[in-house]
Amino acid sequence: MRFPLKATWLALTLAATTWSLPAAAADVQLSIDAGKPGPVIHRNVYGQFAEHLGTGIYEGMWVGPDSKVPNVRGWRKDVVGALKALKVPLVRWPGGCFADEYHWRDGIGPRGKRPVKVNTHWGGVPENNAVGTHEFFDLVEQLGAEAYVNGNLGTGSAQEMAEWLEYMTAEGSSTLAQQRRKNGRDKPFKVSYFAVGNEAWGCGGNMTPEYYTNQYRQVATFLKTPPGNKPQFVASGGNAQDTRWTEVLSTQNIKFNFDLIGHHYYSFPGGEWEKKGPAVGFDESAWIWLLAQAQDFGKTVEANIAVLDRNDPQKRIGLALDEWGSWYDPEPGSNPGFLVQRNTMRDAMLAALHFHMFHEHADRVRMTNIAQMVNVLQAMILTDKTRMVLTPTYHAFAMYTPFQDATTLPSTLAGNPAYALAGKTLPTVSASAARGKDGKLYLALLNVNPREAQTVKLALQGASATRAVGRVLSAAAMDSENTFAQPQAVQPVAYEAKAAGGTLSLPLPPKSIVVVALED
Ligand code: AHR
């Protein structure tokens, strides 16, 4: 195996781990055409999701203003600081399944007087409504993010949703606008997206797509806002491999407006929902199984896009992949209704594979939300009382921030070996290139093989590059994770590659994510 003149990752990682030099493999050829810009990657493709579920909001982010844990108006300083560093562009709230049991009036006014309900979906624990509309908007404003509010179709009504929207967005002297002011908010809130229900095919009411579509038409008739503060409306769509919801919704869209169709896709190894497998301590077949789900997700997205291309050739409707990520068996000893799971290098790799797929379909995939932001499923951050740890998935999101609002560039891979095991096959290398908002050329490369290194040789058209500078994320084991005892076991390190003999070659360690800026 040949390395370019300088490969900082190699020096750093070999010093820090017990890896042996990887086996030789023929170089993969990557061609990028910087002269043929494609669609823009909407920054909200890097969106997050915070549901009233387990310790995802309470404890994980919200501690209340009287807590000894340092906080700003109740929101944890450490967690919000880490999320700000991640440039979180968008947060979806309050669910998920919780959304279809949430009544917004329970979450306004003095916190001590708010009703206590039972969170029937998630663990049957008390929900004291301490986090409501004002607190949520305070969080997104502290983060500098946009707000995606999910309305209640399941146990709510057109009236309740219409009044919530009026409460949040009205400017004038209506009673609801005045009530908002009395509760401490003069200016209207900015609602970027509003969804009518969640998973209407399941926890949102077990509806058929035809029934939901009729419900949507009725409700949407009454969802009115001041002209300058109109959210994009999201219709709840299908799940996993389904395309029927997209079919029915997009055929009906001609008269009854929505901007996006929500679609959910969770990845779990093994193919059996009841036996998803552990988050750590898995073997290589569970590694490839999970990562192969990224391909299946890609095929599902393509199938839904094909439906939209037929029914909406003007590309008016976007796809909102508003729940995605890994889902494993609950962490032993945890409340199974809290969906607590550990997070490893495998999760970071899954996230990065998904990012490449989102980039590839940037003209239709206009927003996504990983499930979820803190302490739930594929989280960015795990907390334990006053402590927090950043997961490998956090680092993957952090490395890809230059791709927010970047312009895609076409790239092709040749000589890309198959990585195959346990009946699953993936291309070893995945690549994505874009021109960042800062004008720089960015390249992301993945090597999904956990045992063998790979080198990528770059052929760049329409620009030139003699150096690649950025960061690499890899780990000693497939299930390496960051724990409270070892919070920095998996973290990105500096990476640099220089052209030799007129060729820029980028070495990729086994199981690695490399994100670099290409420099002349
Ligand atoms: O993210 C956890 C749950 O998964 C959400 O509440 C629901 O929409 C989905 O089934």
Side-chain angles (χ1 to χ4, degrees):
M1 164 133 202
R2 195 169 42 75
F3 290 102
L5 291 179
K6 189 172 172 195
T8 313
W9 70 267
L10 188 66
L12 285 169
T13 51
L14 284 182
T17 70
T18 54
W19 290 340
S20 54
L21 264 179
D27 292 353
V28 173
Q29 319 290 318
L30 169 66
S31 312
I32 301 174
D33 193 342
K36 290 211 178 102
V40 170
I41 301 160
H42 199 296
R43 66 184 174 285
N44 290 343
V45 154
Y46 287 89
Q48 300 279 336
F49 174 31
E51 180 167 14
H52 289 238
L53 194 174
T55 55
I57 290 182
Y58 300 116
E59 283 183 41
M61 284 193 281
W62 172 265
V63 287
D66 302 329
S67 170
K68 288 204 178 84
V69 180
N71 69 83
V72 176
R73 294 182 295 280
W75 294 105
R76 281 177 73 145
K77 267 190 182 170
D78 55 348
V79 173
V80 170
L83 293 170
K84 267 175 95 161
L86 203 54
K87 297 196 166 81
V88 169
L90 173 74
V91 185
R92 176 178 183 236
W93 172 85
C97 296
F98 181 82
D100 280 299
E101 291 190 350
Y102 181 65
H103 300 284
W104 67 272
R105 283 191 167 86
D106 294 345
I108 56 168
R111 275 191 287 273
K113 290 191 177 155
R114 295 183 191 174
V116 178
K117 298 274 178 82
V118 179
N119 190 333
T120 56
H121 264 294
W122 304 120
V125 293
E127 162 61 58
N128 68 7
N129 283 298
V131 170
T133 304
H134 291 255
E135 289 80 10
F136 168 65
F137 277 95
D138 189 21
L139 172 68
V140 291
E141 287 172 4
Q142 286 188 36
L143 292 174
E146 291 179 60
Y148 174 7
V149 175
N150 208 115
N152 175 351
L153 179 69
T155 62
S157 63
Q159 182 178 358
E160 189 182 1
M161 272 186 269
E163 288 177 349
W164 194 10
L165 262 185
E166 182 185 335
Y167 181 86
M168 292 186 283
T169 62
E171 282 153 6
S173 57
S174 73
T175 302
L176 283 169
Q178 288 185 41
Q179 195 179 3
R180 186 193 66 230
R181 291 194 190 98
K182 197 172 133 232
N183 288 331
R185 175 69 176 212
D186 182 23
K187 276 193 320 185
F189 295 116
K190 173 79 190 132
V191 184
S192 294
Y193 303 88
F194 188 87
V196 176
N198 165 71
E199 294 195 350
W201 49 266
C203 67
N206 287 309
M207 302 174 200
T208 63
E210 291 79 9
Y211 182 78
Y212 171 80
T213 303
N214 280 335
Q215 293 268 295
Y216 183 93
R217 288 151 60 128
Q218 187 211 341
V219 168
T221 309
F222 304 102
L223 297 181
K224 295 167 188 167
T225 56
N229 203 355
K230 185 173 176 283
Q232 292 199 51
F233 288 105
V234 184
S236 175
N239 181 49
Q241 285 82 16
D242 185 90
T243 52
R244 216 164 91 73
W245 283 72
T246 302
E247 182 74 61
V248 175
L249 281 162
S250 57
T251 344
Q252 295 282 334
N253 176 259
I254 289 113
K255 280 197 199 146
F256 296 94
N257 261 354
F258 54 80
D259 304 283
L260 297 138
I261 297 177
H263 188 95
H264 294 179
Y265 192 102
Y266 284 99
S267 301
F268 49 95
E272 257 185 87
W273 179 253
E274 298 308 325
K275 213 169 145 236
K276 297 187 262 315
V280 293
F282 50 83
D283 61 13
E284 197 178 330
S285 67
W287 164 273
I288 194 169
W289 248 97
L290 186 85
L291 301 188
Q293 299 265 298
Q295 270 184 337
D296 294 347
F297 190 10
K299 283 186 201 143
T300 295
V301 167
E302 278 160 23
N304 278 282
I305 288 174
V307 172
L308 290 177
D309 285 348
R310 191 164 16 85
N311 292 342
D312 171 41
Q314 303 79 13
K315 296 192 195 283
R316 218 191 51 76
I317 306 170
L319 273 181
L321 305 171
D322 47 5
E323 284 185 35
W324 64 268
S326 58
W327 194 323
Y328 308 116
D329 292 339
E331 181 62 11
S334 68
N335 182 333
F338 282 13
L339 309 186
V340 177
Q341 66 187 36
R342 286 152 74 179
N343 195 295
T344 70
M345 187 64 212
R346 181 176 62 165
D347 297 290
M349 194 67 85
L350 179 77
L353 283 168
H354 283 2
F355 299 156
H356 291 195
M357 187 267 283
F358 302 157
H359 299 173
E360 193 183 336
H361 301 296
D363 56 343
R364 281 284 187 192
V365 176
R366 298 177 194 161
M367 180 248 278
T368 92
N369 308 84
I370 188 170
Q372 299 190 5
M373 195 151 66
V374 178
N375 286 341
V376 176
L377 297 176
Q378 192 179 343
M380 308 302 109
I381 294 176
L382 301 175
T383 66
D384 174 32
K385 301 190 179 69
T386 59
R387 299 184 296 173
M388 74 161 193
V389 73
L390 307 179
T391 66
T393 299
Y394 176 98
H395 292 305
F397 269 80
M399 288 169 74
Y400 278 78
T401 53
F403 285 89
Q404 294 188 16
D405 290 329
T407 303
T408 51
L409 297 173
S411 62
T412 48
L413 288 160
N416 193 2
Y419 165 56
L421 191 81
K424 298 282 172 191
T425 305
L426 283 167
T428 298
V429 174
S430 170
S432 188
R435 172 86 64 187
K437 268 206 329 188
D438 57 6
K440 291 185 186 172
L441 278 181
Y442 288 98
L443 171 61
L445 292 169
L446 311 179
N447 174 10
V448 300
N449 189 319
R451 287 172 284 99
E452 290 176 21
Q454 187 64 60
T455 294
V456 171
K457 249 192 207 166
L458 181 66
L460 188 59
Q461 283 181 304
S464 60
T466 57
R467 234 162 62 101
V469 184
R471 294 196 295 168
V472 55
L473 185 72
S474 188
M478 293 179 291
D479 66 348
S480 292
E481 62 181 322
N482 293 331
T483 61
F484 295 104
Q486 276 196 301
Q488 293 183 346
V490 185
Q491 60 169 341
V493 294
Y495 179 103
E496 183 177 356
K498 284 186 179 167
T503 304
L504 184 56
S505 296
L506 295 102
L508 308 178
K511 50 175 151 28
S512 64
I513 302 170
V514 168
V515 178
V516 286
L518 299 175
E519 296 176 358
D520 204 0

